[in-house]
């Protein structure tokens, strides 16, 4: 078997003056997973009393179940945030008390919203996109 393999080797002479140099290959590492951090979460509903009289989000979008999130101004509208045991939500709103590492989760049902209370949860910012308003 070894003799057969050797007999099939290409023995054509190579002119080193006309061969192209080997191109440098850069292997990029996979993007790092966003880090989990502990943030304080509260909840709000779409009643005008909860929203300073507003009936839409600060971004101009309607409130959406399992989607809308009020975030600090440092996070642009459109930023996707994963919340442990809740899922991915999108920054669409602001709030007077939403500063630093604090988020307000939109829950349409007032009873569920009250039951949510104040919690500490692990969150991670999946991406920052959109514009800061």
């Amino acid at each position: 078997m070894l003799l057969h393999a050797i007999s099939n080797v290409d023995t054509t002479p190579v002119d080193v003056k006309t061969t192209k140099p080997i191109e440098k290959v850069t292997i990029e590492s996979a993007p790092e997973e966003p880090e989990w951090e502990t943030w304080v979460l509260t909840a709000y509903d779409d009643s005008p009393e909860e929203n300073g009289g507003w009936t839409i989000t600060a971004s101009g979008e309607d409130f959406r179940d399992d989607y809308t999130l009020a975030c600090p101004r440092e996070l642009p509208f459109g930023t996707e945030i994963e919340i442990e045991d809740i899922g991915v939500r999108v920054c669409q709103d602001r709030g007077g008390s939403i500063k630093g590492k604090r988020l307000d989760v939109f829950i349409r049902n007032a009873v569920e919203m009250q039951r949510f209370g104040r919690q500490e949860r692990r969150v991670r910012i999946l991406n920052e996109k959109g514009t800061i308003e």
Side-chain angles (χ1 to χ4, degrees), residues 34-78:
E35 297 215 11
W36 289 97
E37 299 178 336
T38 301
W39 287 42
V40 173
L41 275 67
T42 51
Y44 71 113
D45 64 16
D46 58 355
S47 66
E49 301 80 36
E50 279 285 318
N51 298 293
W54 294 97
T55 56
I56 59 171
T57 66
S59 65
E61 301 291 327
D62 291 332
F63 294 100
R64 291 173 53 189
D65 297 321
D66 302 321
Y67 188 83
T68 300
L69 187 65
C71 302
R73 290 193 176 279
E74 295 79 28
L75 294 173
F77 291 136

Side-chain angles (χ1 to χ4, degrees), residues 5-115:
I6 292 174
S7 66
N8 290 330
V9 173
D10 183 2
T11 58
T12 307
V14 176
D15 183 0
V16 292
K17 294 177 185 171
T18 60
T19 57
K20 294 181 183 178
I22 298 174
E23 291 183 31
K24 184 177 180 180
V25 177
T26 305
I27 299 174
E28 294 183 24
S29 59
E32 291 185 31
E33 284 282 316
E35 297 215 11
W36 289 97
E37 299 178 336
T38 301
W39 287 42
V40 173
L41 275 67
T42 51
Y44 71 113
D45 64 16
D46 58 355
S47 66
E49 301 80 36
E50 279 285 318
N51 298 293
W54 294 97
T55 56
I56 59 171
T57 66
S59 65
E61 301 291 327
D62 291 332
F63 294 100
R64 291 173 53 189
D65 297 321
D66 302 321
Y67 188 83
T68 300
L69 187 65
C71 302
R73 290 193 176 279
E74 295 79 28
L75 294 173
F77 291 136
T79 299
E80 294 176 340
I81 297 180
E82 183 175 4
I83 304 169
E84 184 178 45
D85 298 327
I86 291 178
V88 176
R89 298 292 184 268
V90 178
C91 292
Q92 290 190 304
D93 210 359
R94 301 287 185 231
S97 300
I98 308 304
K99 295 177 175 69
K101 292 186 176 190
R102 178 143 182 242
L103 300 170
D104 218 358
V105 178
F106 173 71
I107 300 175
R108 190 174 307 274
N109 182 291
V111 173
E112 288 180 34
M113 182 262 303
Q114 290 291 331
R115 194 175 315 141

